[in-house]
Amino acid sequence: MSMEQKAGTRLIVKDVSKTFYQKKIEPHHVVDKVSLEVKDNEFLVLLGPGHCGKTVLLNIVSGLMPPDEGSVYLDGEKITKPNPKIGMVFQKLGLMPWKTVIENVEIGPKLSGINVKTRRERAEYFIDLVGLKGFENSYPHQLSGGMKQRVGIARAYTNDPEILIMDEPFGQLDAQTRYNMQNEISRISEHEKRTIIFVTNNIEEALYLGDRIILFTECPARVKEIYDIDLKRPRDMIDPEFLRLRKMISNNTDLAL
Amino acid sequence: MNNNNLLKKGRRMGDLKYMILSVISVLTFLLIWQLLVIFGVLSTRTIAAPTQVLVTFFEKFYSTAPDGATIFTNIAVSLKVSLTGFFSAIIIGTPLGMLMGWYKPLDRFIRPLFEIIRPIPPIAWIPLTILWVGIGLGAKAMIIFFSAFVPCVINSYTGIKLTSQVHVSVAKTFGASNFKIFRTVGVPSSMPMAFAGIRIALGNSWGTLVAAELLAANAGLGYMIMMGRQFVRPDVIILGMLTIGILGFIFTWIFTKIENVVVRWRTL
């Protein structure tokens, strides 16, 4: 199945809904008729309060989970299973503790059968880019939280995806590391241009990174508002325009429990 | 630096002090035992003095009395039996447990049979195995296999069931097939649990060895102990027990070394 699409659009999410049914518990409606488009090479931020729906939506987009209704199209092709063109940085990291940093980073190309030399070169390039040169042979538990997340980012890049999904990658970092990583992701994404879908519940983070912000409602997740962010980069968090946008989005956001 | 060296030295001194304490404990025990025998408090018909056990140990280098084999032959026979059973249990049990944990149909197919066999004590298999394959190597290896097989299966099964869902998702987003995910994510992440199972299997197989040889054998350490009883040779019995204990200790030590290499990421 394919679908008409405008030039410059890479990914289309059309009327996607998802409900979880469990015995003895009310059905949990988490995603409600979400439609959105992702443009080529844009940094799209999905901003939503609390812990509802966003991760599920990402799992549907990446093909890990089928939607109840609606479909997702990549370049006009319906997504039914995970696709190496779509890479993912997980909130819970998912680094394999039995692998060293470089073995973790090269796992994507390794699973698709690319030879050692090529994948090592690629892995080393991205390890260097995320600033982990010298830690190639460390094990994940020897690294700090921020460094672990860098490994996760390098891993996703090394598989050379066209679309990169980042699911609240900095959610578990302390404030200082988080600011630092926001700068880093901004630098890395300028250096290695990809289409990025970045999920966060932090308005400042969204404004600091996004070309476009899609604001979601509290449970179930619905598209509430779409903002085009025309601030020049690198962005300044105390620029009056930044603060004005921040206030506007903040006033429009549902309070999470 | 200097300070550090001093600390190290201090720790070594402490280690030495505790080691001396342990040695004294063993020596005291042996001494009391020896004195009790010398002064006739314990009858030499029921127990042998430590020195007598040592003498018998050297005698058994060449003497085949009373069980018909030297100590080395007995050790070799016992090792062959226990290692055959133990390794076949690992080779069959561990992969089986992992596959059952990963593939649900296989789980549902094999589990009922497994659950029936599981509670049967390994020793209860002895009469049947004697009927099947006599009292040779095969029979005893089979009994040991039953004792080691169950923990191998259960632990690797549980280990792979505990595979992190995020790790599976990571591999999925890279387009890996289910079998590839099993191999590259499931198997390595279940290794620590699988090893814990093998460790239990090692203890079981060594323990069952003696039982198997006590009942059905014509050589081996267990057989030697039994003959020691028949010929009223407590020195031979005690020698057999100590040999079994020391070999078991050596095995556990070797196994721990191997475990530390294979699941090094766990202990780093």
Side-chain angles (χ1 to χ4, degrees), chain A residues 82 94-95 98 111 139 141 159, chain B residues 167 172 174 180 188-189 265 268:
Chain A
L95 301 182
W98 60 89
L111 285 171
Y139 282 87
H141 66 100
N159 203 41
Chain B
H167 290 157
K172 269 189 190 164
F174 290 133
K180 219 164 193 180
S189 75
W265 54 273
L268 268 173

Side-chain angles (χ1 to χ4, degrees), chain B residues 128-189:
Chain B
L128 204 55
T129 43
I130 291 174
L131 284 184
W132 287 346
V133 281
I135 60 168
L137 171 74
K140 280 164 280 172
M142 208 155 144
I143 292 159
I144 286 159
F145 172 83
F146 284 123
S147 74
F149 178 69
V150 170
C152 283
V153 173
I154 291 176
N155 273 60
S156 53
Y157 175 88
T158 314
I160 210 154
K161 278 273 185 204
L162 293 174
T163 304
S164 144
Q165 206 46 51
V166 187
H167 290 157
V168 174
S169 291
V170 168
K172 269 189 190 164
T173 57
F174 290 133
S177 65
N178 192 22
F179 180 69
K180 219 164 193 180
I181 298 173
F182 167 72
R183 238 186 40 205
T184 56
V185 178
V187 172
S189 75

